[in-house]
Amino acid sequence: TDSGRAYLGSIWGGKLDSGDSIGVAGREKELTASIKQLWRAGTHAQSAAGGDAVALILDRELDLSRGAVLAKRGTSFISDEYLVGKILWLDPAIEHQTEWRGLLKIHHQETQSIVSVKAASGIVVTAEIETGSPIICLPAAEPTRANEFLLIDSESTKTVGVGFISRGGAGENDIGFSI
């Protein structure tokens, strides 16, 4: 468009409207802008909701890279290397292990991780997860697009587990930051 640079991505959850003030999650320096135009499925729209693929035209350019997370001002996130989550093991050879090492992938973020099982109920486990770099997500008691992840064996590249992040590792009410 001739209205400015378009930022492409998917909405994890909630709703965005034209005119909303947004920020970049996980940045030490606050970066904010307002949505001038919102495009959904190639059509100009006033709003978009979770699951929609969108193009956003902002009132100013932001220096973003692949995997950057934009959110409405006031949204709270976890940005942590220590997380707690629920995992469903897909590989029977792993489901009885108390520790697993491999790749955690959430959205466009990938990092080497150590999963330490704390409680098990069949093939579903509650685990502490230590990652090689901070993971940005929206914690929740149930799986959502904003907190779901894959566990991938580093050698075979097979997906061995799926799960969701329920909270940061520091405590029950740990919120890393708000935009």
Side-chain angles (χ1 to χ4, degrees):
T1 84
D2 40 326
S3 301
R5 178 178 173 190
Y7 297 88
L8 307 176
S10 299
I11 297 179
W12 288 357
K15 181 181 170 196
L16 285 178
D17 295 301
S18 287
D20 280 348
S21 178
I22 61 171
V24 182
R27 291 286 179 94
E28 289 183 24
K29 179 181 169 194
E30 187 173 308
L31 296 175
T32 61
S34 292
I35 300 173
K36 277 181 26 180
Q37 293 180 32
L38 189 147
W39 295 78
R40 185 182 66 233
T43 305
H44 186 262
Q46 288 302 308
S47 64
D52 289 344
V54 296
L56 302 177
I57 298 173
L58 307 177
D59 65 347
R60 66 187 195 92
E61 282 203 24
L62 297 178
D63 183 20
L64 302 177
S65 59
R66 179 179 169 90
V69 176
L70 300 177
K72 251 189 211 188
R73 301 263 307 152
T75 304
S76 295
F77 287 89
I78 285 177
S79 176
D80 204 341
E81 294 175 21
Y82 300 94
L83 307 162
V84 174
K86 297 247 188 229
I87 299 167
L88 169 66
W89 292 117
L90 302 175
D91 185 338
I94 296 173
E95 65 187 56
H96 298 292
Q97 293 181 8
T98 57
E99 185 174 286
W100 177 86
R101 293 170 184 259
L103 188 68
L104 181 140
K105 180 174 181 168
I106 182 168
H107 312 294
H108 296 294
Q109 303 172 81
E110 293 184 2
T111 183
Q112 289 296 320
S113 302
I114 302 169
V115 173
S116 300
V117 175
K118 298 302 173 190
S121 176
I123 57 175
V124 177
V125 300
T126 299
E128 292 178 354
I129 305 163
E130 182 179 349
T131 63
S133 60
I135 295 294
I136 298 171
C137 69
L138 294 166
E142 297 295 325
T144 68
R145 286 192 65 176
N147 68 352
E148 296 170 338
F149 62 84
L150 299 174
L151 294 173
I152 301 167
D153 182 274
S154 297
E155 292 179 20
S156 70
T157 68
K158 281 181 24 181
T159 300
V160 297
V162 295
F164 69 94
I165 295 167
S166 56
R167 63 182 171 88
E172 188 65 37
N173 297 314
D174 178 50
I175 298 295
F177 61 94
S178 294
I179 292 179

